[in-house]
Amino acid sequence: MVTAASFTSPSVQVKNPNTGEVVGQVPDLGAADVDQAIARARGASRRWGAFDHAQRRRDLGAFRRGLAQAAEALATLIHLENGKPKTDAMAEVLLAIQHLSHAAARAPEVLSTRTVSSGLMANFKSTVSYHPLGVIGVIGPWNYPIFTPMGSIAYALAAGNAVVFKPSELTPLVALEVGRIAAETLSVPDLLQVVTGRGATGAALARGAVDKIAFTGSPATGRRVMQAAAERLTPVLLELGGKDPMIVLPDADLDKAAEAAVWGSMSNAGQACVSIERCYVHASIYDRFVDKVVAEAQGVTFGYEGAHIGAITLPAQVDIIKKHLTDAADKGAKFLVGGPDKMQGNVVPPTVMVDVTHDMLVMKEETFGPILPILKVPDSEEALRLANQTSYGLGAAIFGKAHVRELAERIVSGMTTINTVLAFGSVPGLPFGGIGESGFGRIHGDEGLREFSRTKSVVEQRFAIPGMNVFTFKLPANAYEQFKGMAEKLYGSAVLDKASEVLKKLHLR
Ligand code: NAD
């Protein structure tokens, strides 16, 4: 773990976004410090990688208990440096620990060696095994400073890797506390190290001798990370932004949908990659839905202690939000709650807007504020067409009854909720990630464990079948005719279905 004694670089001040008060100071580590952390992690990964799943699970259990016992301290740090309410911070801590618990429990089964069908080669045994990659570099954002990175860290550790974690410069304090607890509870030193600093520290990690980079942040930085990693051909996993749509159908429970739309767009002051950022509502229920949303949004309190939402964490984001709202106002949007003229410093009040169009920034680019633009649509097909009209593809939500499952499959996104919002991140078994500008790769779930594993294929000849060895130059004279006959007989008729059943039984016996 990085301590004040171990750094020579300048420092980064951490400020409470609500009060402007300095709440901490951490090292702004340079490339040499990052390289040293990676080298230490390399040693740790060898020891940890040699553990069996039961040993790792015991260690991760101790880490999990350490985090749970420190839940209050962790939530307080998040509250101070990110600015979100304490309750939200505690929910984040709980969900982060849930992921650690889930990853540790699932790893033995998901990463155990499995036998697969050998196809035509009935005399072969084919297996797939999973091995640790080595050292994983995790670069995290500030909006969920422990929940989001833990979605990579937990699965990387459970898969047998060491981790070097670079938290956002806005929220490094909770990360250092997680690193301290890891050092106290894990039996392998340097298994989880935290390297604090600004963007250059992250860039050093992306360029470093790691075996994979798991990055969560903006698409712009994601591109830079991928370019830096390309030098060593380091694989990358990118969890980027979103412009998540919500669709409300005529048979939706409107009270439930309105409450969810407001919470989904405004919780954490709208600073979630999976926030509801656009809402498409069927014309037949539009007026009633909008009235309910306005009433809900008027009940959302904003400010500091005790409020539902706090200040905007990243000062530069305030300018983006203002730009989006002003652009929408200029193009004819109507503000029913809040509006650009109601913004004060880094406090953005809950905002509900209608009469929006797809040529407005607020419908195209990530706004990352407590903003809900609502658009009336004539039918569900138009809602779907507009929902899919985006360069992103992270999450989505649908409210209704009759056709919701079918529509959920047709929304082009990595994840979709039905009659609820944002819930995919809280279900540890569900793979989390997007497509398009929302990135690629999956954290969480079984896919998350395999993301941080090296897949190894082994095929073994169990016995020889005379005249049936195709991996030789000594083929029988009629081999051509034999192969042709097999192609026709096996794949040219329904016999294949029967044959593959027989082969499957042979292989998996
Ligand atoms: P950001 O891209 O500004 O920063 C993310 C991290 O990258 C920080 O730790 C930062 O210091 C580091 N960084 C900056 N420049 C770097 C560089 N050149 N090389 C390597 N690292 C560098 O993003 P942010 O503002 O912290 O986070 C907000 C963004 O993250 C939003 O777009 C949000 O949607 C996204 N996000 C996505 C998910 C998801 O899972 N898809 C989750 C949370 C946040």
Side-chain angles (χ1 to χ4, degrees):
M1 194 186 89
V2 175
T3 62
S6 72
F7 74 97
T8 49
S9 329
S11 58
V12 182
Q13 276 193 341
V14 186
K15 289 185 181 165
N16 179 331
N18 286 296
T19 62
E21 180 198 351
V22 176
V23 291
Q25 187 149 328
V26 299
D28 186 10
L29 295 176
D33 302 292
V34 172
D35 287 344
Q36 280 169 23
I38 296 171
R40 287 193 298 271
R42 180 69 55 201
S45 78
R46 291 201 186 97
R47 285 185 60 193
W48 185 243
F51 278 22
D52 63 23
H53 282 300
Q55 287 171 299
R56 281 191 213 129
R57 199 170 169 187
R58 266 198 301 278
D59 260 36
L60 293 175
F63 183 28
R64 185 200 73 216
R65 288 191 292 281
L67 291 172
Q69 280 153 17
E72 187 125 43
L74 296 169
T76 303
L77 288 171
I78 295 172
H79 171 60
L80 285 177
E81 59 186 349
N82 166 284
K84 68 177 71 178
K86 268 189 175 160
T87 312
D88 290 9
M90 189 56 93
E92 185 182 336
V93 171
L94 169 67
L95 293 178
I97 302 174
Q98 180 191 221
H99 275 293
L100 181 61
S101 171
H102 178 81
R106 286 294 294 157
E109 185 183 328
V110 176
L111 303 179
S112 65
T113 302
R114 61 196 172 93
T115 303
V116 297
S117 162
S118 297
L120 288 174
M121 311 299 159
N123 53 332
F124 287 2
K125 179 176 182 178
S126 303
T127 56
V128 184
S129 55
Y130 300 94
H131 304 270
L133 288 170
V135 178
I136 309 297
V138 174
I139 303 175
W142 46 263
N143 55 346
Y144 290 88
I146 166 166
F147 167 69
T148 296
M150 194 56 91
S152 294
I153 294 169
Y155 294 82
L157 290 177
N161 304 282
V163 172
V164 178
F165 169 33
K166 148 70 179 93
S168 166
E169 54 272 43
L170 271 64
T171 53
L173 301 179
V174 68
L176 284 172
E177 187 61 10
V178 169
R180 188 190 64 74
I181 295 166
E184 267 181 14
T185 53
L186 296 167
S187 65
V188 177
D190 298 323
L191 192 59
L192 170 58
Q193 295 172 77
V194 178
V195 289
T196 55
R198 298 194 171 83
T201 313
L205 187 57
R207 278 196 313 271
V210 293
D211 299 291
K212 188 159 196 167
I213 284 282
F215 170 82
T216 306
S218 59
T221 312
R223 281 192 180 86
R224 284 196 282 276
V225 166
M226 202 167 160
Q227 277 161 3
E231 276 300 307
R232 289 180 194 259
L233 285 180
T234 305
V236 292
L237 179 151
L238 300 180
E239 297 290 346
L240 308 176
K243 191 73 197 168
D244 289 9
M246 170 167 164
I247 294 176
V248 188
L249 300 173
D251 55 357
D253 176 333
L254 292 190
D255 289 319
K256 207 165 128 186
E259 187 184 352
V262 169
W263 185 84
S265 60
M266 298 179 189
S267 66
N268 202 25
Q271 305 170 111
C273 51
V274 289
S275 280
I276 298 298
E277 291 235 345
R278 308 173 277 152
C279 189
Y280 302 98
V281 184
H282 194 280
S284 64
I285 42 131
Y286 176 82
D287 290 338
R288 279 192 296 141
F289 176 77
V290 170
D291 286 349
K292 286 175 190 292
V293 162
V294 168
E296 280 286 336
Q298 282 167 340
V300 177
T301 56
F302 57 102
Y304 192 28
E305 299 295 355
H308 289 127
I309 59 176
I312 297 300
T313 313
L314 178 69
Q317 196 67 35
V318 178
D319 299 333
I320 295 172
I321 296 169
K322 185 138 208 169
K323 189 169 127 195
H324 285 196
L325 297 190
T326 310
D327 168 77
D330 291 347
K331 289 173 179 160
K334 200 166 133 206
F335 292 88
L336 302 181
V337 184
D341 54 325
K342 307 277 189 331
M343 292 173 61
Q344 277 178 5
N346 63 348
V347 174
V348 179
T351 302
V352 178
M353 53 205 289
V354 293
D355 297 345
V356 290
T357 57
H358 261 237
D359 65 342
M360 296 174 183
L361 292 173
V362 79
M363 297 300 278
K364 288 192 292 201
E365 295 177 12
E366 191 174 50
T367 310
F368 234 49
I371 317 295
L372 183 61
I374 308 176
L375 201 156
K376 191 194 304 189
V377 288
D379 53 44
S380 58
E381 284 305 312
E382 180 63 359
L384 193 67
R385 190 185 70 78
L386 290 171
N388 287 341
Q389 204 178 85
T390 175
S391 57
Y392 290 101
L394 192 56
I398 304 191
F399 281 73
K401 291 184 188 80
H403 302 294
V404 283
R405 282 232 144 241
E406 182 233 322
L407 285 173
E409 295 296 340
R410 289 172 61 206
I411 288 200
V412 184
S413 66
M415 305 163 293
T416 300
T417 54
I418 297 175
N419 294 329
T420 183
V421 285
L422 277 61
F424 21 69
S426 319
V427 180
L430 283 176
F432 187 103
I435 59 162
E437 278 204 88
S438 293
F440 51 80
R442 292 293 181 269
I443 53 172
H444 304 177
D446 296 355
E447 284 80 353
L449 287 163
R450 289 186 177 152
E451 271 286 348
F452 297 110
S453 303
R454 175 170 56 83
T455 305
K456 171 95 177 178
S457 302
V458 175
V459 57
E460 175 193 355
Q461 192 186 63
R462 290 187 298 174
F463 54 88
I465 303 179
M468 277 292 288
N469 183 15
V470 296
F471 304 100
T472 175
F473 288 116
K474 296 171 192 154
L475 292 172
N478 65 346
Y480 176 86
E481 287 305 324
Q482 272 188 23
F483 294 156
K484 183 168 164 256
M486 282 173 78
E488 284 169 2
K489 282 204 185 90
L490 285 176
Y491 301 111
S493 75
V495 171
L496 172 67
D497 305 335
K498 185 76 192 151
S500 61
E501 273 308 303
V502 174
L503 285 172
K504 201 170 155 195
K505 278 185 197 144
L506 264 175
H507 285 302
L508 301 179
R509 218 178 24 204

